[in-house]
PDB file of all heavy atoms in Angstrom:
ATOM      1  N   ARG M   1       5.460  15.849 -11.529  1.00 87.00           N
ATOM      2  CA  ARG M   1       6.418  16.745 -10.886  1.00 87.00           C
ATOM      3  C   ARG M   1       6.351  16.655  -9.361  1.00 87.00           C
ATOM      4  O   ARG M   1       7.096  17.395  -8.654  1.00 87.00           O
ATOM      5  CB  ARG M   1       6.210  18.188 -11.295  1.00 87.00           C
ATOM      6  CG  ARG M   1       4.830  18.810 -10.878  1.00 87.00           C
ATOM      7  CD  ARG M   1       4.833  20.226 -11.280  1.00 87.00           C
ATOM      8  NE  ARG M   1       3.607  20.926 -10.709  1.00 87.00           N
ATOM      9  CZ  ARG M   1       2.420  21.017 -11.278  1.00 87.00           C
ATOM     10  NH1 ARG M   1       2.182  20.402 -12.376  1.00 87.00           N
ATOM     11  NH2 ARG M   1       1.394  21.681 -10.697  1.00 87.00           N
ATOM     12  N   ALA M   2       5.488  15.865  -8.823  1.00 95.00           N
ATOM     13  CA  ALA M   2       5.319  15.742  -7.345  1.00 95.00           C
ATOM     14  C   ALA M   2       6.530  15.215  -6.739  1.00 95.00           C
ATOM     15  O   ALA M   2       7.319  14.390  -7.188  1.00 95.00           O
ATOM     16  CB  ALA M   2       4.170  14.827  -6.954  1.00 95.00           C
ATOM     17  N   ALA M   3       6.880  15.728  -5.462  1.00 97.00           N
ATOM     18  CA  ALA M   3       8.037  15.207  -4.774  1.00 97.00           C
ATOM     19  C   ALA M   3       7.616  14.194  -3.777  1.00 97.00           C
ATOM     20  O   ALA M   3       8.457  13.487  -3.216  1.00 97.00           O
ATOM     21  CB  ALA M   3       8.675  16.465  -4.041  1.00 97.00           C
ATOM     22  N   VAL M   4       6.354  14.093  -3.431  1.00 97.00           N
ATOM     23  CA  VAL M   4       5.858  13.110  -2.481  1.00 97.00           C
ATOM     24  C   VAL M   4       4.664  12.338  -3.097  1.00 97.00           C
ATOM     25  O   VAL M   4       3.787  12.862  -3.739  1.00 97.00           O
ATOM     26  CB  VAL M   4       5.282  13.892  -1.242  1.00 97.00           C
ATOM     27  CG1 VAL M   4       4.755  12.839  -0.178  1.00 97.00           C
ATOM     28  CG2 VAL M   4       6.337  14.783  -0.669  1.00 97.00           C
ATOM     29  N   ALA M   5       4.697  11.004  -2.971  1.00 97.00           N
ATOM     30  CA  ALA M   5       3.594  10.095  -3.372  1.00 97.00           C
ATOM     31  C   ALA M   5       3.200   9.379  -2.131  1.00 97.00           C
ATOM     32  O   ALA M   5       4.023   8.875  -1.426  1.00 97.00           O
ATOM     33  CB  ALA M   5       4.063   9.193  -4.519  1.00 97.00           C
ATOM     34  N   LEU M   6       1.875   9.294  -1.886  1.00 95.00           N
ATOM     35  CA  LEU M   6       1.406   8.716  -0.680  1.00 95.00           C
ATOM     36  C   LEU M   6       0.152   7.918  -0.854  1.00 95.00           C
ATOM     37  O   LEU M   6      -0.640   8.190  -1.763  1.00 95.00           O
ATOM     38  CB  LEU M   6       1.191   9.694   0.387  1.00 95.00           C
ATOM     39  CG  LEU M   6       0.099  10.810   0.176  1.00 95.00           C
ATOM     40  CD1 LEU M   6      -0.633  11.049   1.416  1.00 95.00           C
ATOM     41  CD2 LEU M   6       0.823  12.105  -0.352  1.00 95.00           C
ATOM     42  N   SER M   7       0.006   6.917  -0.032  1.00 92.00           N
ATOM     43  CA  SER M   7      -1.159   6.148   0.006  1.00 92.00           C
ATOM     44  C   SER M   7      -2.203   6.534   1.125  1.00 92.00           C
ATOM     45  O   SER M   7      -1.715   7.066   2.158  1.00 92.00           O
ATOM     46  CB  SER M   7      -0.786   4.619   0.267  1.00 92.00           C
ATOM     47  OG  SER M   7      -1.932   3.906   0.663  1.00 92.00           O
ATOM     48  N   GLY M   8      -3.428   6.321   0.866  1.00 89.00           N
ATOM     49  CA  GLY M   8      -4.411   6.427   2.052  1.00 89.00           C
ATOM     50  C   GLY M   8      -4.032   5.279   3.010  1.00 89.00           C
ATOM     51  O   GLY M   8      -3.254   4.357   2.702  1.00 89.00           O
ATOM     52  N   TYR M   9      -4.586   5.329   4.255  1.00 88.00           N
ATOM     53  CA  TYR M   9      -4.199   4.259   5.142  1.00 88.00           C
ATOM     54  C   TYR M   9      -5.476   3.845   5.913  1.00 88.00           C
ATOM     55  O   TYR M   9      -6.500   4.581   5.929  1.00 88.00           O
ATOM     56  CB  TYR M   9      -3.196   4.725   6.227  1.00 88.00           C
ATOM     57  CG  TYR M   9      -3.657   5.825   7.204  1.00 88.00           C
ATOM     58  CD1 TYR M   9      -4.225   5.406   8.358  1.00 88.00           C
ATOM     59  CD2 TYR M   9      -3.625   7.185   6.823  1.00 88.00           C
ATOM     60  CE1 TYR M   9      -4.652   6.430   9.313  1.00 88.00           C
ATOM     61  CE2 TYR M   9      -4.009   8.137   7.745  1.00 88.00           C
ATOM     62  CZ  TYR M   9      -4.557   7.757   8.935  1.00 88.00           C
ATOM     63  OH  TYR M   9      -5.033   8.689   9.804  1.00 88.00           O
ATOM     64  N   CYS M  10      -5.504   2.632   6.361  1.00 89.00           N
ATOM     65  CA  CYS M  10      -6.643   2.169   7.116  1.00 89.00           C
ATOM     66  C   CYS M  10      -6.117   1.656   8.454  1.00 89.00           C
ATOM     67  O   CYS M  10      -4.920   1.142   8.696  1.00 89.00           O
ATOM     68  CB  CYS M  10      -7.327   0.997   6.377  1.00 89.00           C
ATOM     69  SG  CYS M  10      -6.332  -0.450   6.134  1.00 89.00           S
ATOM     70  N   ARG M  11      -6.936   1.905   9.524  1.00 89.00           N
ATOM     71  CA  ARG M  11      -6.600   1.395  10.842  1.00 89.00           C
ATOM     72  C   ARG M  11      -7.240   0.022  10.948  1.00 89.00           C
ATOM     73  O   ARG M  11      -8.461  -0.134  10.765  1.00 89.00           O
ATOM     74  CB  ARG M  11      -7.178   2.363  11.917  1.00 89.00           C
ATOM     75  CG  ARG M  11      -6.536   3.795  11.829  1.00 89.00           C
ATOM     76  CD  ARG M  11      -7.198   4.699  12.780  1.00 89.00           C
ATOM     77  NE  ARG M  11      -6.737   6.028  12.754  1.00 89.00           N
ATOM     78  CZ  ARG M  11      -5.751   6.471  13.508  1.00 89.00           C
ATOM     79  NH1 ARG M  11      -5.047   5.728  14.458  1.00 89.00           N
ATOM     80  NH2 ARG M  11      -5.227   7.714  13.422  1.00 89.00           N
ATOM     81  N   VAL M  12      -6.406  -0.907  11.411  1.00 89.00           N
ATOM     82  CA  VAL M  12      -6.843  -2.286  11.475  1.00 89.00           C
ATOM     83  C   VAL M  12      -6.250  -2.988  12.739  1.00 89.00           C
ATOM     84  O   VAL M  12      -5.128  -2.690  13.094  1.00 89.00           O
ATOM     85  CB  VAL M  12      -6.569  -3.039  10.227  1.00 89.00           C
ATOM     86  CG1 VAL M  12      -5.010  -3.044   9.988  1.00 89.00           C
ATOM     87  CG2 VAL M  12      -7.091  -4.453  10.230  1.00 89.00           C
ATOM     88  N   SER M  13      -7.062  -3.765  13.295  1.00 87.00           N
ATOM     89  CA  SER M  13      -6.579  -4.505  14.511  1.00 87.00           C
ATOM     90  C   SER M  13      -5.588  -5.588  14.154  1.00 87.00           C
ATOM     91  O   SER M  13      -5.524  -6.028  13.028  1.00 87.00           O
ATOM     92  CB  SER M  13      -7.729  -5.148  15.299  1.00 87.00           C
ATOM     93  OG  SER M  13      -8.298  -6.235  14.459  1.00 87.00           O
ATOM     94  N   SER M  14      -4.739  -6.030  15.142  1.00 83.00           N
ATOM     95  CA  SER M  14      -3.776  -7.074  14.864  1.00 83.00           C
ATOM     96  C   SER M  14      -4.406  -8.330  14.343  1.00 83.00           C
ATOM     97  O   SER M  14      -3.926  -8.962  13.480  1.00 83.00           O
ATOM     98  CB  SER M  14      -2.956  -7.293  16.185  1.00 83.00           C
ATOM     99  OG  SER M  14      -2.112  -6.268  16.496  1.00 83.00           O
ATOM    100  N   GLU M  15      -5.572  -8.668  14.960  1.00 84.00           N
ATOM    101  CA  GLU M  15      -6.315  -9.846  14.541  1.00 84.00           C
ATOM    102  C   GLU M  15      -6.799  -9.836  13.090  1.00 84.00           C
ATOM    103  O   GLU M  15      -6.885 -10.831  12.424  1.00 84.00           O
ATOM    104  CB  GLU M  15      -7.475 -10.090  15.478  1.00 84.00           C
ATOM    105  CG  GLU M  15      -7.107 -10.347  16.960  1.00 84.00           C
ATOM    106  CD  GLU M  15      -6.748  -8.966  17.696  1.00 84.00           C
ATOM    107  OE1 GLU M  15      -7.028  -7.905  17.092  1.00 84.00           O
ATOM    108  OE2 GLU M  15      -6.158  -9.119  18.763  1.00 84.00           O
ATOM    109  N   ASP M  16      -7.084  -8.623  12.607  1.00 86.00           N
ATOM    110  CA  ASP M  16      -7.693  -8.493  11.268  1.00 86.00           C
ATOM    111  C   ASP M  16      -6.697  -8.138  10.158  1.00 86.00           C
ATOM    112  O   ASP M  16      -7.002  -8.094   8.981  1.00 86.00           O
ATOM    113  CB  ASP M  16      -8.780  -7.490  11.243  1.00 86.00           C
ATOM    114  CG  ASP M  16      -9.956  -7.933  12.189  1.00 86.00           C
ATOM    115  OD1 ASP M  16     -10.126  -9.232  12.390  1.00 86.00           O
ATOM    116  OD2 ASP M  16     -10.677  -7.032  12.704  1.00 86.00           O
ATOM    117  N   LEU M  17      -5.469  -7.749  10.589  1.00 86.00           N
ATOM    118  CA  LEU M  17      -4.533  -7.142   9.553  1.00 86.00           C
ATOM    119  C   LEU M  17      -4.185  -8.124   8.394  1.00 86.00           C
ATOM    120  O   LEU M  17      -4.249  -7.755   7.244  1.00 86.00           O
ATOM    121  CB  LEU M  17      -3.234  -6.809  10.264  1.00 86.00           C
ATOM    122  CG  LEU M  17      -2.200  -5.970   9.416  1.00 86.00           C
ATOM    123  CD1 LEU M  17      -1.507  -4.969  10.312  1.00 86.00           C
ATOM    124  CD2 LEU M  17      -1.222  -6.845   8.769  1.00 86.00           C
ATOM    125  N   CYS M  18      -3.892  -9.372   8.739  1.00 84.00           N
ATOM    126  CA  CYS M  18      -3.502 -10.355   7.608  1.00 84.00           C
ATOM    127  C   CYS M  18      -4.696 -10.594   6.707  1.00 84.00           C
ATOM    128  O   CYS M  18      -4.442 -10.589   5.514  1.00 84.00           O
ATOM    129  CB  CYS M  18      -3.022 -11.635   8.311  1.00 84.00           C
ATOM    130  SG  CYS M  18      -1.362 -11.489   9.076  1.00 84.00           S
ATOM    131  N   GLU M  19      -5.855 -10.734   7.310  1.00 86.00           N
ATOM    132  CA  GLU M  19      -7.062 -11.001   6.465  1.00 86.00           C
ATOM    133  C   GLU M  19      -7.271  -9.807   5.553  1.00 86.00           C
ATOM    134  O   GLU M  19      -7.610  -9.959   4.351  1.00 86.00           O
ATOM    135  CB  GLU M  19      -8.187 -11.318   7.309  1.00 86.00           C
ATOM    136  CG  GLU M  19      -9.459 -11.559   6.551  1.00 86.00           C
ATOM    137  CD  GLU M  19     -10.694 -11.942   7.459  1.00 86.00           C
ATOM    138  OE1 GLU M  19     -10.439 -11.985   8.685  1.00 86.00           O
ATOM    139  OE2 GLU M  19     -11.785 -12.094   6.940  1.00 86.00           O
ATOM    140  N   ARG M  20      -7.250  -8.536   6.139  1.00 88.00           N
ATOM    141  CA  ARG M  20      -7.463  -7.339   5.369  1.00 88.00           C
ATOM    142  C   ARG M  20      -6.432  -7.168   4.193  1.00 88.00           C
ATOM    143  O   ARG M  20      -6.767  -6.862   3.044  1.00 88.00           O
ATOM    144  CB  ARG M  20      -7.498  -6.088   6.206  1.00 88.00           C
ATOM    145  CG  ARG M  20      -7.519  -4.780   5.481  1.00 88.00           C
ATOM    146  CD  ARG M  20      -8.847  -4.645   4.764  1.00 88.00           C
ATOM    147  NE  ARG M  20      -8.891  -3.438   3.966  1.00 88.00           N
ATOM    148  CZ  ARG M  20      -9.316  -2.232   4.442  1.00 88.00           C
ATOM    149  NH1 ARG M  20      -9.824  -2.116   5.685  1.00 88.00           N
ATOM    150  NH2 ARG M  20      -9.415  -1.177   3.642  1.00 88.00           N
ATOM    151  N   LEU M  21      -5.155  -7.474   4.498  1.00 86.00           N
ATOM    152  CA  LEU M  21      -4.061  -7.375   3.542  1.00 86.00           C
ATOM    153  C   LEU M  21      -4.375  -8.452   2.467  1.00 86.00           C
ATOM    154  O   LEU M  21      -4.170  -8.097   1.270  1.00 86.00           O
ATOM    155  CB  LEU M  21      -2.767  -7.648   4.254  1.00 86.00           C
ATOM    156  CG  LEU M  21      -1.466  -7.474   3.376  1.00 86.00           C
ATOM    157  CD1 LEU M  21      -1.489  -6.151   2.730  1.00 86.00           C
ATOM    158  CD2 LEU M  21      -0.257  -7.668   4.238  1.00 86.00           C
ATOM    159  N   PHE M  22      -4.718  -9.635   2.763  1.00 83.00           N
ATOM    160  CA  PHE M  22      -5.007 -10.655   1.747  1.00 83.00           C
ATOM    161  C   PHE M  22      -6.229 -10.239   0.869  1.00 83.00           C
ATOM    162  O   PHE M  22      -6.116 -10.448  -0.352  1.00 83.00           O
ATOM    163  CB  PHE M  22      -5.304 -11.984   2.451  1.00 83.00           C
ATOM    164  CG  PHE M  22      -5.720 -13.110   1.488  1.00 83.00           C
ATOM    165  CD1 PHE M  22      -4.695 -13.708   0.687  1.00 83.00           C
ATOM    166  CD2 PHE M  22      -7.035 -13.484   1.388  1.00 83.00           C
ATOM    167  CE1 PHE M  22      -5.063 -14.663  -0.215  1.00 83.00           C
ATOM    168  CE2 PHE M  22      -7.359 -14.494   0.495  1.00 83.00           C
ATOM    169  CZ  PHE M  22      -6.394 -15.101  -0.340  1.00 83.00           C
ATOM    170  N   GLU M  23      -7.274  -9.796   1.479  1.00 86.00           N
ATOM    171  CA  GLU M  23      -8.468  -9.445   0.684  1.00 86.00           C
ATOM    172  C   GLU M  23      -8.128  -8.284  -0.300  1.00 86.00           C
ATOM    173  O   GLU M  23      -8.492  -8.277  -1.447  1.00 86.00           O
ATOM    174  CB  GLU M  23      -9.492  -8.886   1.655  1.00 86.00           C
ATOM    175  CG  GLU M  23     -10.204 -10.113   2.443  1.00 86.00           C
ATOM    176  CD  GLU M  23     -11.173  -9.566   3.379  1.00 86.00           C
ATOM    177  OE1 GLU M  23     -11.294  -8.334   3.559  1.00 86.00           O
ATOM    178  OE2 GLU M  23     -11.859 -10.388   3.954  1.00 86.00           O
ATOM    179  N   ASP M  24      -7.321  -7.213   0.216  1.00 86.00           N
ATOM    180  CA  ASP M  24      -6.993  -6.180  -0.660  1.00 86.00           C
ATOM    181  C   ASP M  24      -6.021  -6.593  -1.822  1.00 86.00           C
ATOM    182  O   ASP M  24      -6.101  -6.060  -2.981  1.00 86.00           O
ATOM    183  CB  ASP M  24      -6.319  -5.006   0.048  1.00 86.00           C
ATOM    184  CG  ASP M  24      -7.349  -4.291   0.907  1.00 86.00           C
ATOM    185  OD1 ASP M  24      -8.575  -4.523   0.786  1.00 86.00           O
ATOM    186  OD2 ASP M  24      -6.909  -3.342   1.737  1.00 86.00           O
ATOM    187  N   SER M  25      -5.203  -7.557  -1.527  1.00 85.00           N
ATOM    188  CA  SER M  25      -4.211  -8.046  -2.555  1.00 85.00           C
ATOM    189  C   SER M  25      -4.933  -8.756  -3.655  1.00 85.00           C
ATOM    190  O   SER M  25      -4.483  -8.821  -4.771  1.00 85.00           O
ATOM    191  CB  SER M  25      -3.214  -8.939  -1.881  1.00 85.00           C
ATOM    192  OG  SER M  25      -2.516  -8.317  -0.874  1.00 85.00           O
ATOM    193  N   CYS M  26      -6.092  -9.321  -3.422  1.00 83.00           N
ATOM    194  CA  CYS M  26      -6.886 -10.100  -4.385  1.00 83.00           C
ATOM    195  C   CYS M  26      -7.754  -9.212  -5.232  1.00 83.00           C
ATOM    196  O   CYS M  26      -8.162  -9.608  -6.258  1.00 83.00           O
ATOM    197  CB  CYS M  26      -7.768 -11.134  -3.697  1.00 83.00           C
ATOM    198  SG  CYS M  26      -6.869 -12.434  -2.824  1.00 83.00           S
ATOM    199  N   LYS M  27      -7.934  -7.972  -4.810  1.00 80.00           N
ATOM    200  CA  LYS M  27      -8.788  -7.073  -5.578  1.00 80.00           C
ATOM    201  C   LYS M  27      -8.079  -6.499  -6.810  1.00 80.00           C
ATOM    202  O   LYS M  27      -6.896  -6.165  -6.714  1.00 80.00           O
ATOM    203  CB  LYS M  27      -9.293  -5.870  -4.719  1.00 80.00           C
ATOM    204  CG  LYS M  27     -10.203  -6.307  -3.630  1.00 80.00           C
ATOM    205  CD  LYS M  27     -10.614  -5.111  -2.753  1.00 80.00           C
ATOM    206  CE  LYS M  27     -11.459  -5.476  -1.596  1.00 80.00           C
ATOM    207  NZ  LYS M  27     -11.794  -4.362  -0.751  1.00 80.00           N
TER     208      LYS M  27
END
């Protein structure tokens, strides 16, 4: 019945963003 669904978030530098996204996508 929730009206809002949300994700936690992580703060990541520009240099590390793509690598972090790739690692999480593989999990």
Side-chain angles (χ1 to χ4, degrees):
R1 66 177 188 272
V4 183
L6 62 141
S7 161
Y9 69 92
C10 63
R11 296 175 182 269
V12 59
S13 67
S14 287
E15 296 77 15
D16 298 332
L17 189 146
C18 288
E19 182 178 354
R20 174 62 185 271
L21 185 54
F22 175 75
E23 290 177 353
D24 287 353
S25 300
C26 294
K27 294 177 182 177

